[in-house]
Amino acid sequence: MTSRKNDLATVGRVQGKVMAEVLFRKADDLSNIKAKGGEDEMGEKIEISALHHFYRGLSELVGVESMLKIYHQYKGMQMTIPTHLYDRTLAAKKVRAEYTGQNQQELARKYGYSQKWIRQVTRESENQKNNEELF
């Protein structure tokens, strides 16, 4: 059970970092933001110790400049960051393509879903194939 918790914690950290990287790339495309060298839009240095805990954590994860870009792009918006990194429908397609009959656990870890979900996806796929063969 502890191993499963550790695996889930690792997946959560990886997903958080990947999501931050996606946000970073989005923010990096915004050329109108003047957040150079850890300065706000008025050119003043950012006081890290006074930042909201969310922005402090984000700045530790991606750096102050990137945190400011994300702040300027998304400030005031309510965001829900998905628990799963991979889209359920697209991951299911990948699982069906990569399933060998012996790799449920590997696929569950790779895509961040449970083995039960992997079994459900592969079972549905097998049932669908069987139904197609009948007709």
Side-chain angles (χ1 to χ4, degrees):
M1 188 68 167
T2 303
S3 177
R4 173 110 170 107
K5 286 182 181 178
N6 289 340
D7 289 346
L8 291 175
T10 301
V11 168
R13 283 193 299 276
V14 169
Q15 289 174 343
K17 288 181 181 179
V18 171
M19 187 61 187
E21 182 64 26
V22 169
L23 291 173
F24 168 73
R25 286 186 184 142
K26 171 76 174 156
D28 200 38
D29 293 339
L30 304 170
S31 59
N32 62 339
I33 295 174
K34 301 173 184 173
K36 302 290 182 200
E39 297 176 349
D40 65 10
E41 61 265 358
M42 296 179 32
E44 297 183 19
K45 287 287 184 188
I46 297 297
E47 187 63 48
I48 302 294
S49 63
L51 287 175
H52 184 280
H53 66 86
F54 173 81
Y55 291 113
R56 190 175 320 124
L58 191 57
S59 70
E60 290 170 3
L61 189 62
V62 299
V64 174
E65 183 177 339
S66 297
M67 178 273 302
L68 287 171
K69 289 178 181 180
I70 293 167
Y71 165 75
H72 287 287
Q73 176 66 22
Y74 298 105
K75 68 181 172 183
M77 293 177 68
Q78 291 206 356
M79 295 175 48
T80 302
I81 297 176
T83 302
H84 295 286
L85 178 61
Y86 294 103
D87 177 78
R88 182 175 291 272
T89 304
L90 298 175
K93 287 180 184 178
K94 291 287 197 176
V95 164
R96 286 184 201 105
E98 296 174 23
Y99 183 65
T100 65
Q102 305 293 321
N103 60 343
Q104 281 183 9
Q105 186 175 23
E106 176 187 333
L107 292 170
R109 283 189 176 141
K110 180 176 181 178
Y111 293 107
Y113 287 91
S114 68
Q115 286 185 37
K116 181 178 177 181
W117 183 80
I118 300 294
R119 281 192 303 274
Q120 180 183 353
V121 166
T122 56
R123 193 177 316 115
E124 288 172 0
S125 180
E126 289 171 7
N127 289 342
Q128 193 174 33
K129 284 180 186 177
N130 291 338
N131 288 339
E132 289 174 1
E133 289 175 2
L134 293 175
F135 296 108

